[in-house]
Amino acid sequence: MSRADLRFFGSELGMVFRRRRNLALLVILACVPLLISIAVKASGHDAPGGSIFGGITDNGLFAALAGFLVLTPLFLPLMISVVAGDSIAGEASSGTLRYLLAIPAGRSRLLAIKFAAIVTWCLACALVIALSGLLAGLVFFPSGELTLLSGRVVSYGDGVVRLLLVLLYVTASVVTVGAIGLFVSTMTEAPIAAMAATLTLTIVSQVADAVPQLGRIHGWLPSHYWLQWVDLFRDPIITSRVGTGLLVALGYVLFFTALAWARFGGKDITA
Amino acid sequence: MVAAIASEGLTKRFGSLNAVDGIDLAVPAGSVYGFLGPNGSGKTTTIRVLLGLVFATSGSHVLLGTSTQRALPKVGALVEGPAFHPYLSGTANLLRLDAADRTADASTARARVGSALERVGLTAAAGKRYRAYSLGMRQRLGIAAALLRPRELLMLDEPTNGLDPQGTREVRSLIAALAGEGVTVFLSSHLLSEVEQLCSDVGVMSAGRLVWQGALADLRAQQEPYVRVETVQPAEARQVLESVGLAGVEAADGHVRARLGEARPEDVVAALVRGGVGVRGFAVERASLEEQFVALTGEGFDVSG
């Protein structure tokens, strides 16, 4: 990236992170691990260890994992769909796309900058979940040593490192939604339609993943490995399925960004 | 002369519709080129092709002697009305556009945005959100965006659209001033008075074709002069005019018109007087640009197919 590209990227990040709708979504996202912590605290049950929700009363760090567990299937894809679906279609619907291209921003360059901003947004969302869970956990529950899902006890620092890996894995998982959204966004001038279509695709993937008769294709679905980060909270870490999940994510990202590039590169901008 | 814009057989087909049909544009460098045509005649599509927004079906074009992508940093454009982010201020919107330009100098961005806003008279509203702008202010911001950097070519699509008379005058004098600095201006308009006032050259589009192109003076010179006689005796006047050999005589209530042709006006007046026609007024006129426009495009301002 040259300095000019960095400047454009900075401007794009400003568009994403200063937008009130997106900030409101981040606030809602941050509330979820907090609400989980309050609910667990208020219920007063001491659930047995060895599960994510059960671990919360043992160690607050599990509040962040519980956040990832409930948010990854639907709300997180929704947040990514909103920003990714808006990326090109939003500029097209406001007419600003024609002025960006007449600057000239460059079609491939614009697409690359938009995708970089989407990836940053994915990372920010995962970071908000992790931080909110971590902080809520520290406030309401013990911190200290924690028992992993496989039963082994590790230090809090070790747990935080594992949480960081989970955060990165979740980011990589939902970047697939971002890539799909970027592609869909090049197909329409209606940002809402792009958002809805992207979210629909992720739901279809999860529905297909829940039908046992479709077992043969499960491994190929983008959402199949999304919760595989639980393996990172075992000892020793089971890397095989996490690795497969990352490969599947990479495959989808390459496929859909290439489609977006092919589509956008030759598209007539008539909006 | 070097051409600021040159195209050969430029064609854009949308489905079965030839929106732009084999046009050969030649916009001389340093000219103010009026791009005329009824709504739907292919003006905006042509501009979009020239700016690289839409890909030509066939034919080629050159901007400032080079390809579109290389020329664009030296081209300021206003296409189909202004478009900005509604929740950003005028300044923020221009900074956003400038940030997208890989050849722009970031360190001078604020100063350039400030002077562009000043040039279009928007300094006082620079911090206001775009959504609070009036139509005229939006149009001015669009022109300011085209002036963010020193340009060699400005492509302005209906630049005075939505402006009040005062704003229209300001924008026209701004265009004249820019042309005076040597900037080539490609001005799409359907306001013939604007074109007459500003342009040195014109191109006339009709149904996707470029039906006339050249110096405005040449277009005006093409038009034959005609005489107009005001009289209460139109029938007698018609007889006299026909007898001295004028063609295309049309009599109406209170006046008669005829093409002057090779005749001398003073001879026509003398013949009328000798013929006993009471002449209340006599004038040699040329068709207005509007009449020529209608003659070229075969229509007025109706939307064409």
Side-chain angles (χ1 to χ4, degrees):
Chain A
M1 259 197 193
S2 68
R3 270 177 69 165
D5 293 338
L6 277 178
R7 183 179 173 219
F8 189 20
F9 179 55
S11 158
E12 187 58 34
L13 286 186
M15 298 297 294
V16 171
F17 285 95
R18 278 197 214 117
R19 187 153 181 172
R20 263 192 281 178
R21 177 191 68 197
N22 296 350
L23 291 178
L25 283 171
L26 282 178
V27 169
I28 297 171
L29 193 67
C31 287
V32 173
L34 183 67
L35 290 174
I36 292 173
S37 300
I38 293 172
V40 169
K41 186 82 178 171
S43 75
H45 293 306
D46 232 11
S51 76
I52 287 172
F53 272 87
I56 297 177
T57 47
D58 270 343
N59 194 304
L61 200 108
F62 279 94
L65 293 184
F68 281 123
L69 189 65
V70 300
L71 289 166
T72 306
L74 190 61
F75 193 72
L76 198 50
L78 169 82
M79 293 198 51
I80 312 306
S81 299
V82 165
V83 167
D86 199 39
S87 57
I88 299 293
E91 302 275 7
S93 80
S94 67
T96 45
L97 183 59
R98 63 176 183 266
Y99 284 105
L100 281 176
L101 292 181
I103 278 292
R107 290 184 187 226
S108 303
R109 179 168 170 262
L110 177 62
L111 212 53
I113 297 285
K114 287 282 182 186
F115 186 63
I118 292 169
V119 172
T120 310
W121 172 252
C122 293
L123 187 64
C125 290
L127 198 63
V128 163
I129 298 171
L131 280 179
S132 164
L134 214 53
L135 291 177
L138 283 175
V139 170
F140 294 107
F141 304 105
S143 45
E145 292 188 327
L146 68 150
T147 311
L148 296 178
L149 298 172
S150 56
R152 180 119 178 252
V153 176
V154 296
S155 70
Y156 190 75
D158 187 321
V160 171
V161 170
R162 285 166 191 260
L163 182 63
L164 184 69
L165 293 177
V166 170
L167 182 164
L168 293 176
Y169 182 83
V170 169
T171 303
S173 303
V174 291
V175 165
T176 54
V177 180
I180 294 170
L182 182 73
F183 166 62
V184 174
S185 194
T186 62
M187 304 282 287
T188 173
E189 285 159 20
I192 300 287
M195 295 173 196
T198 307
L199 189 60
T200 304
L201 286 174
T202 68
I203 291 172
V204 166
S205 164
Q206 296 186 60
V207 168
D209 204 14
V211 178
Q213 283 78 0
L214 296 176
R216 278 163 183 268
I217 62 160
H218 282 173
W220 297 97
L221 294 169
S223 63
H224 185 68
Y225 293 98
W226 279 1
L227 295 176
Q228 210 58 55
W229 48 261
V230 292
D231 288 353
L232 298 170
F233 267 73
R234 298 185 208 281
D235 201 83
I237 290 176
I238 305 168
T239 53
S240 63
R241 282 177 295 184
V242 167
T244 310
L246 288 175
L247 276 180
V248 170
L250 181 67
Y252 274 102
V253 167
L254 289 178
F255 179 69
F256 280 102
T257 49
L259 273 188
W261 179 77
R263 164 74 186 159
F264 190 58
K267 191 187 183 190
D268 282 344
I269 306 301
T270 49
Chain B
M1 195 184 294
V2 190
I5 303 173
S7 77
E8 263 177 47
L10 198 65
T11 299
K12 178 61 190 180
R13 199 174 294 127
F14 289 114
S16 61
L17 173 78
N18 274 336
V20 177
D21 197 357
I23 68 172
D24 301 326
L25 279 173
V27 178
S31 67
V32 179
Y33 184 101
F35 197 43
L36 290 164
N39 295 329
S41 59
K43 296 189 304 266
T44 299
T45 302
T46 304
I47 291 177
R48 283 181 179 275
V49 172
L50 293 175
L51 290 173
L53 298 175
V54 160
F55 297 98
T57 309
S58 63
S60 63
H61 69 274
V62 170
L63 285 191
L64 301 172
T66 180
S67 70
T68 293
Q69 292 304 314
R70 284 194 188 179
L72 280 180
K74 294 179 220 158
V75 179
L78 180 68
V79 202
E80 257 189 300
F84 293 97
H85 293 284
Y87 292 98
L88 295 184
S89 68
T91 302
N93 265 303
L94 294 190
L95 284 172
R96 158 90 175 148
L97 282 176
D98 196 66
D101 188 345
R102 76 182 105 191
T103 58
D105 181 1
S107 63
T108 60
R110 291 230 158 242
R112 284 184 288 111
V113 165
S115 65
L117 288 169
E118 194 183 342
R119 198 136 196 208
V120 298
L122 268 185
T123 305
K128 262 198 194 176
R129 281 181 170 186
Y130 177 69
R131 69 188 306 242
Y133 280 21
S134 67
L135 188 58
M137 289 161 82
R138 290 175 179 203
Q139 194 73 15
R140 285 162 191 255
L141 189 62
I143 296 169
L147 300 178
L148 267 177
R149 304 179 57 189
R151 310 288 192 184
E152 288 176 27
L153 170 64
L154 286 175
M155 299 183 71
L156 305 174
D157 192 3
E158 312 275 354
T160 56
N161 209 8
L163 292 173
D164 55 22
Q166 174 67 22
T168 302
R169 284 183 55 172
E170 284 173 24
V171 166
R172 285 180 189 168
S173 67
L174 176 61
I175 292 171
L178 288 162
E181 293 166 19
V183 179
T184 307
V185 182
F186 184 80
L187 176 76
S188 148
S189 181
H190 61 258
L191 300 173
L192 296 163
S193 60
E194 185 165 284
V195 169
E196 245 176 332
Q197 203 179 325
L198 288 171
C199 296
S200 55
D201 295 78
V202 290
V204 180
M205 292 285 287
S206 176
R209 293 182 163 275
L210 189 64
V211 291
W212 201 90
Q213 176 174 249
L216 182 61
D218 292 343
L219 179 63
R220 305 298 282 132
Q222 267 189 3
Q223 201 57 30
E224 280 188 83
Y226 60 84
V227 294
R228 179 187 162 93
V229 182
E230 278 176 45
T231 175
V232 286
Q233 298 156 273
E236 288 83 346
R238 168 194 274 270
Q239 273 187 344
V240 172
L241 291 177
E242 280 171 349
S243 70
V244 296
L246 297 195
V249 184
E250 290 170 38
D253 202 26
H255 72 265
V256 180
R257 276 170 55 143
R259 288 211 292 276
L260 186 57
E262 299 300 311
R264 299 193 309 163
E266 52 269 42
D267 295 341
V268 177
V269 177
L272 283 167
V273 173
R274 274 201 305 276
V277 178
V279 176
R280 290 186 166 180
F282 183 88
V284 179
E285 294 175 343
R286 282 175 193 277
S288 68
L289 190 58
E290 185 176 342
E291 285 168 290
Q292 284 188 286
F293 179 79
V294 172
L296 282 169
T297 63
E299 58 196 311
F301 294 105
D302 298 332
V303 177
S304 63

